[in-house]
Amino acid sequence: MKIHHLTAAEALESLGSSMNGLDDAMIEGRLREFGFNRIEETRKPPALLLFAREFLHFFALILWLAAGLAFFAEAQQPGEGMQTLAYAILGVIAINGCFSFWQRRQAEQAITALQKLLPHQVKVIRDGELSLVYADELAPGDLLVLQEGDNVPADCRLVEAFALRVNNATITGESLPKGRDAQPSAAEDIGQSRNILLAGTSVVAGEGKAVVFATGMHTEFGKIAHTLKTTVKSQSPLQKQIARLSRFVALLALALGVAFFFIGQAIGLTFWENFIFAIGLIVANVPEGLLPTVTLSLAMATQRMAKRNALIRNLPSVETLGSTTVICTDKTGTLTENRMAVKQLFLDGRHCGPEQLDRHSLQQHAAFLACAALCHNLKRIEGSAPLGDPMEIALADMAHAQGMRIDYPKIGEVPFDTDRKRMSTLHDTPVGTMLFCKGALEMVLPLCRQIAAGNRIETLDDGHRQQLAKALQTMADQGLRVLALAYRPLPEQRPDDPEQSLILAGLVGLEDPPRPEVAAAIGQCHRAGIKVVMVTGDHPHTAVAIARQIGLVRSEHPQVIVGDKLKKLTPSQLQVALDAPEIVFARVGADQKMQIVAALQRKQHVVAVTGDGVNDAPALKKADIGIAMGKAGTDVAKEAADMILLDDNFASIVAAIEEGRAVFDNIRKFLTYILTSNIPEVVPYLAFVLFKIPLPLTIIQILAVDLGTDMLPALGLGAEKPDSAVMEQPPRSQKETLIDWRLLARAYGFLGVLEAVAAMAAFFFVLERGGWEYGQILHGRQPLYLQATTACLSAIIVMQIANVFICKQRQRGLLGTALMDNKLILSGILFEIALILTIVYTPWGNALFGAAPIGGEVWLFALPFALGMLALEECRKWLVRRFQPFPLRAEAPRLRITGRVRTGR
């Protein structure tokens, strides 16, 4: 027999325990056998392996190849500077790898999973004495002592219970507490048994003793945690895009290097000239600063999100938010405040709000308010809020607000349980012993013979019963939890069953109120083309009512699917059901939540899932992005999530999505900026081979651009604030790539060409002023050659300074763009200017980068080219705005949602 089928004595005997608990020798042996009461952490790859991976991605491999070729060239023909180049490339690899590893480690350490849900110390009986022990030292057979406010540290079976109720929301998702007792249970499912307390739940009322039968990973809590380990996390859209981009650029660089090596051979260049040329092309086409810039951009976005109460645990999740098409959200604690409040009353045959009770209510409805104030198991601690059932707290608060501040001693109780669906308390009052009862109307009404009507007591007849039934339905349709309050004076000779001949005082409707900012956040999601689906363990009436209040449901008959119905749906039926314009899932389990997420992902949606309980964790792991609650969330949920809401506020998700959408646009901005400089870096090598001129730009100077002057401005572009219209557009399609033909045409075919013209013009400007003639050979150490290459490098920097302002907006002109709002861009430009001046005008800069001082006329020569690029780009943007020949966004997965959604096209 299962432990919940046994009597309390049999359960203790089956675990080799007793009401005196275990002794020290037994504890030691059981800890060796069963292990400590801990949730095992997911094993992560060793730090050394993670560090090594930063040096083995595709970009790094191409650079390793370039460094190897440079060392080979130095060995074959010493004195050509190839050894210096090789070490420079190795330095680039080392800086990139160390920086990326550091950034990832910083992001992982941004949150440390604290064991807040499982208590650190618990009360147990061992050797007949009450002791405090650490929760991880519990063993099967330990006898726990629990009372209201305690968290349950392990799966245990009650052996004593006094009016004990437990909040199972973290396991089952249900917000209402459940009564528990020590009697044997006939239920097959251990989670539904009335004598079982599960690890991770909490006692909200009463007290009891329970024997531990499962600890650590053997608990239901632990089994859910184990499910997380077996759930494979798919790559984020950004990770896929970066991998695709890395392969594209690296293969392009390698192909160009090899191709032009053979072209050089064909036109008669020496082997070593070709070799230098090939390495130069490879280095010029590999954007060495791309990966650290992407990492830094994401890390800075996480800092901005943290200021908006969204903590990112996984860097690529920043951008995934921007791709989100569906949010599956829990109700309790996410859309609602996770607290009960009295919403409506039914007194004297009419509905009213508690705020509508007049000053005579204390006299007219004294019995009703006394019942609300006294019929509970709350524990009051001086100087702090009462502890106990949130529903009882709400009733007492309502009574106190009306002036009913009484505290008559409780002399007896008939406890609540799920079969009776009511509880009664007996109090010694100035008018004698009174019984106050509250519970479900269908369980209280048959016990009543009279009903309070103002200052009168009337006989309860069929008319009253029909009126009460209608009131119940009205309040239930609003998603309210309806309780009936009743009372009776007891005679001195107390009857065996005091819950008879009661006087019905009235009905009270309670709700877990929606967060006030959620409705606006839902509306913004709709305008942004994001569908919001409620997935909860609560009752469907409650779920739909809350959905109506927050604007999630607007039609008369939304699609409501309960857990039992969901079990019967095939995968294809579920996918079809998800096409409903308004859909709510209620009474669903953790595995069913995963089922919903998987179905949405099969429909090509990018799915975000919110939740706070252990029951939400598998779905959080399965989703494209899991969002856990920071305050009410369990450790298991936080560990599974990609993002944690520090204020448990659904509205913060909208702010995070806005930042996520900006990240993708910002990455494209700095990609345009970085790739643009590839053309003025490649053209000098093509000219060198095809026209047999001196090499206008050295490889070391290319690295100065890619890793020196370009890095900070590119990072500034990655930190741009979200555009004001970013949440008025539909989600970005997964088919939309970081690099498309429009970006390449703009970077390579337009801006890059303009920069290359300026760079080559500056190079020939210095050569012409120095008296150089076509065909004349210049050696690498000659002052004229050093000045000419310095002029080429300087012109690229001047053009890139103009380019950073160009790349701030793809369509909007400079006059409509805030040019001075990004301090990082301004700092980057200052750093860029300082670095190029250092390279040009300091001896060590000259020596390291093969440069020489140039006159002011060279800077003046380059300036008109920068202004010309700004003017031409303004003309291009005007044409795009005017004619818009192609849509800006690929089409996202089709959604059927309510409300008007602007397409942004």
Side-chain angles (χ1 to χ4, degrees):
M1 294 177 71
K2 295 180 180 179
I3 193 167
H4 58 287
H5 295 155
L6 305 175
T7 65
E10 291 170 339
L12 286 166
E13 184 180 357
S14 70
L15 290 163
S17 186
S18 70
M19 293 301 290
N20 290 324
L22 302 176
D23 57 39
D24 291 340
M26 296 174 72
I27 291 293
E28 189 175 340
R30 294 193 182 193
L31 286 176
R32 280 198 303 268
E33 181 178 354
F34 297 103
F36 286 94
N37 182 34
R38 296 172 183 159
I39 301 300
E40 297 174 8
E41 294 184 0
T42 304
R43 179 173 291 181
K44 298 178 180 178
L48 190 60
L49 177 60
L50 295 174
F51 182 69
R53 286 177 181 173
E54 300 296 341
F55 299 90
L56 297 174
H57 56 76
F58 215 48
F59 276 178
L61 293 177
I62 297 297
L63 292 176
W64 281 114
L65 175 63
L69 292 174
F71 277 121
F72 174 75
E74 179 66 24
Q76 296 299 316
Q77 192 168 344
E80 294 295 323
M82 298 306 290
Q83 184 175 0
T84 303
L85 172 63
Y87 282 123
I89 295 174
L90 290 180
V92 169
I93 297 170
I95 292 170
N96 275 357
C98 293
F99 186 75
S100 295
F101 177 74
W102 177 78
Q103 278 293 340
R104 291 183 188 278
R105 294 287 288 182
Q106 287 292 104
E108 289 173 3
Q109 293 170 6
I111 175 173
T112 302
L114 302 174
Q115 291 290 332
K116 291 179 181 177
L117 188 60
L118 297 179
H120 294 293
Q121 286 190 315
V122 293
K123 296 185 288 290
V124 298
I125 295 176
R126 288 181 176 174
D127 279 333
E129 295 183 357
L130 183 66
S131 307
L132 271 178
V133 302
Y134 288 106
D136 61 358
E137 295 176 357
L138 286 176
D142 258 324
L143 190 63
L144 290 172
V145 177
L146 298 165
Q147 61 187 41
E148 55 258 62
D150 287 346
N151 290 326
V152 181
D155 287 357
C156 49
R157 198 271 192 209
L158 283 166
V159 294
E160 284 184 4
F162 302 97
L164 191 141
R165 278 180 285 172
V166 63
N167 185 346
N168 287 329
T170 55
I171 300 293
T172 66
E174 293 181 291
S175 60
L176 293 174
K178 298 293 182 182
R180 291 291 182 260
D181 58 42
Q183 298 303 311
S185 172
E188 283 301 315
D189 183 3
I190 196 168
Q192 300 299 319
S193 173
R194 290 179 49 79
N195 56 30
I196 296 296
L197 304 180
L198 299 177
T201 61
S202 59
V203 178
V204 297
E207 57 187 33
K209 295 177 183 177
V211 60
V212 174
F213 65 85
T215 59
M217 297 300 290
H218 302 290
T219 63
E220 294 300 311
F221 188 104
K223 290 173 185 176
I224 295 175
H226 176 73
T227 304
L228 305 183
K229 298 182 181 181
T230 59
T231 304
V232 179
K233 189 74 175 178
S234 59
Q235 278 193 318
S236 76
L238 180 64
Q239 288 172 316
K240 296 173 184 176
Q241 294 276 349
I242 293 295
R244 190 180 299 121
L245 172 62
S246 301
R247 289 193 296 270
F248 169 76
V249 175
L251 288 174
L252 176 65
L254 195 59
L256 285 174
V258 172
F260 278 92
F261 176 85
F262 288 108
I263 291 173
Q265 287 287 94
I267 62 176
L269 290 179
T270 67
F271 176 82
W272 295 113
E273 285 177 324
N274 275 328
F275 209 74
I276 294 171
F277 171 58
I279 294 175
L281 274 181
I282 291 172
V283 174
N285 277 282
V286 173
E288 293 85 1
L290 174 61
L291 293 182
T293 304
V294 169
T295 304
L296 254 182
S297 176
L298 292 174
M300 292 180 69
T302 65
Q303 294 173 6
R304 295 196 304 273
M305 287 183 174
K307 293 177 181 177
R308 303 177 78 172
N309 295 310
L311 181 63
I312 298 296
R313 299 186 67 247
N314 183 22
L315 281 184
S317 302
V318 176
E319 186 276 334
T320 308
L321 272 168
S323 310
T324 300
T325 59
V326 177
I327 300 174
C328 292
T329 176
D330 189 24
K331 178 189 72 68
T332 304
T334 307
L335 298 174
T336 66
E337 297 180 4
N338 200 18
R339 65 174 181 85
M340 299 300 287
V342 175
K343 180 73 172 178
Q344 192 174 126
L345 307 175
F346 184 74
L347 300 169
D348 301 337
R350 63 185 181 87
H351 294 274
C352 64
E355 71 283 353
Q356 294 176 290
L357 294 180
D358 56 31
R359 66 178 185 273
H360 301 298
S361 61
L362 188 60
Q363 180 179 354
Q364 281 187 305
H365 307 293
F368 175 83
L369 294 172
C371 185
L374 296 173
C375 188
H376 59 68
N377 281 311
L378 299 179
K379 184 176 182 181
R380 299 190 180 277
I381 300 175
E382 189 174 349
S384 63
L387 298 176
D389 186 337
M391 181 179 62
E392 293 185 341
I393 293 174
L395 288 173
D397 286 347
M398 183 267 295
H400 293 165
Q402 298 301 321
M404 183 59 70
R405 297 183 176 275
I406 54 176
D407 191 18
Y408 299 138
K410 182 165 66 172
I411 59 175
E413 178 178 336
V414 185
F416 174 90
D417 64 48
T418 52
D419 294 329
R420 290 166 20 88
K421 294 183 181 179
R422 66 180 185 272
M423 75 167 289
S424 298
T425 56
L426 283 67
H427 295 265
D428 192 3
T429 75
V431 296
T433 302
M434 295 289 294
L435 178 143
F436 296 104
C437 176
K438 73 172 188 292
L441 179 64
E442 63 269 24
M443 305 304 290
V444 174
L445 190 59
L447 308 177
C448 297
R449 290 188 179 179
Q450 295 174 299
I451 185 171
N455 294 321
R456 304 185 316 278
I457 303 296
E458 299 179 357
T459 301
L460 187 67
D461 57 25
D462 289 341
H464 288 121
R465 290 187 177 88
Q466 291 175 6
Q467 191 179 42
L468 289 166
K470 184 178 178 181
L472 172 67
Q473 186 62 46
T474 300
M475 297 166 81
D477 287 344
Q478 298 174 44
L480 301 180
R481 162 79 165 167
V482 183
L483 293 178
L485 305 187
Y487 69 99
R488 68 165 290 189
L490 291 175
E492 290 185 10
Q493 188 67 34
R494 189 182 306 171
D496 292 336
D497 183 4
E499 293 181 320
Q500 298 294 331
S501 303
L502 302 184
I503 303 168
L504 188 70
L507 304 182
V508 57
L510 300 102
E511 69 166 355
D512 181 5
R515 294 179 179 272
E517 56 284 317
V518 164
I522 295 290
Q524 195 165 3
C525 285
H526 285 170
R527 291 192 299 275
I530 300 167
K531 186 172 186 176
V532 183
V533 177
M534 184 189 291
V535 184
T536 179
D538 250 333
H539 192 279
H541 277 305
T542 306
V544 172
I546 292 293
R548 289 194 192 282
Q549 291 180 47
I550 61 177
L552 191 57
V553 166
R554 299 174 185 174
S555 63
E556 269 190 56
H557 303 291
Q559 173 84 291
V560 179
I561 298 179
V562 296
D564 289 341
K565 180 180 177 182
L566 183 57
K567 290 178 183 178
K568 301 173 184 177
L569 296 180
T570 64
S572 57
Q573 287 176 317
L574 177 56
Q575 286 182 232
V576 171
L578 286 166
D579 286 330
E582 296 176 341
I583 186 167
V584 172
F585 291 91
R587 296 294 195 201
V588 297
D591 56 332
Q592 293 177 314
K593 206 168 193 179
M594 287 183 66
Q595 184 182 347
I596 294 165
V597 171
L600 286 165
Q601 289 173 332
R602 287 195 300 271
K603 292 172 73 66
Q604 304 303 309
H605 286 297
V606 178
V607 185
V609 170
T610 70
D612 55 3
V614 175
N615 63 307
D616 296 318
L620 292 174
K621 189 82 170 183
K622 173 68 176 173
D624 297 288
I625 178 162
I627 306 171
M629 302 298 113
K631 292 181 179 178
T634 63
D635 278 349
V636 170
K638 292 175 186 176
E639 187 66 27
D642 302 292
M643 185 179 91
I644 297 173
L645 295 183
L646 300 178
D647 60 352
D648 290 8
N649 192 338
F650 182 86
S652 297
I653 298 174
V654 178
I657 288 176
E658 184 179 29
E659 290 285 356
R661 289 190 173 189
V663 164
F664 187 84
D665 289 340
N666 288 347
I667 291 176
R668 297 192 74 171
K669 289 175 185 178
F670 70 66
L671 274 177
T672 304
Y673 177 77
I674 289 173
L675 294 180
T676 295
S677 63
N678 281 5
I679 299 302
E681 292 170 354
V682 169
V683 166
Y685 283 84
L686 297 179
F688 166 67
V689 170
L690 299 176
F691 303 111
K692 297 185 178 181
I693 62 172
L695 182 62
L697 194 69
T698 66
I699 299 174
I700 294 291
Q701 290 169 346
I702 290 173
L703 293 177
V705 173
D706 289 350
L707 276 177
T709 60
D710 273 4
M711 182 71 81
L712 272 182
L715 184 58
L717 288 171
E720 282 281 273
K721 295 177 181 177
D723 188 86
S724 58
V726 73
M727 291 300 287
E728 300 295 328
Q729 299 177 7
R732 177 179 56 81
S733 169
Q734 293 185 73
K735 296 178 182 179
E736 187 174 353
T737 57
L738 277 172
I739 291 186
D740 57 16
W741 70 266
R742 286 188 296 266
L743 187 148
L744 289 176
R746 186 184 178 206
Y748 283 166
F750 183 61
L751 298 174
V753 170
L754 294 176
E755 288 196 8
V757 169
M760 294 303 296
F763 177 73
F764 285 117
F765 174 73
V766 172
L767 288 181
E768 190 271 334
R769 287 174 63 86
W772 177 83
E773 294 181 356
Y774 182 73
Q776 181 182 346
I777 297 175
L778 293 177
H779 296 289
R781 302 292 181 182
Q782 288 181 249
L784 179 60
Y785 176 72
L786 294 176
Q787 287 180 333
T789 58
T790 302
C792 184
L793 171 63
S794 301
I796 293 175
I797 301 305
V798 170
M799 299 296 283
Q800 281 290 83
I801 290 174
N803 191 30
V804 73
F805 291 110
I806 286 172
C807 291
K808 279 175 70 74
Q809 283 288 340
R810 276 195 296 168
Q811 284 192 321
R812 194 177 300 150
L814 286 177
L815 294 178
T817 303
L819 299 179
M820 302 297 173
D821 64 331
N822 191 324
K823 293 181 180 179
L824 193 53
I825 286 181
L826 299 178
S827 300
I829 291 173
L830 291 176
F831 175 79
E832 201 168 13
I833 293 171
L835 183 59
I836 189 60
L837 292 177
T838 300
I839 291 172
V840 175
Y841 297 111
T842 64
W844 66 266
N846 291 171
L848 184 60
F849 292 96
I854 55 176
E857 69 277 2
V858 178
W859 300 104
L860 292 174
F861 178 83
L863 188 58
F865 288 93
L867 295 175
M869 184 168 72
L870 287 170
L872 289 172
E873 173 66 5
E874 286 297 289
C875 292
R876 186 201 67 81
K877 288 179 179 177
W878 180 83
L879 290 171
V880 170
R881 292 195 302 272
R882 178 66 183 265
F883 298 107
Q884 191 71 50
F886 300 99
L888 286 179
R889 281 198 189 280
E891 187 176 359
R894 291 188 178 274
L895 296 169
R896 297 181 64 189
I897 62 180
T898 58
R900 181 170 175 265
V901 178
R902 293 175 58 183
T903 63
R905 298 191 177 188

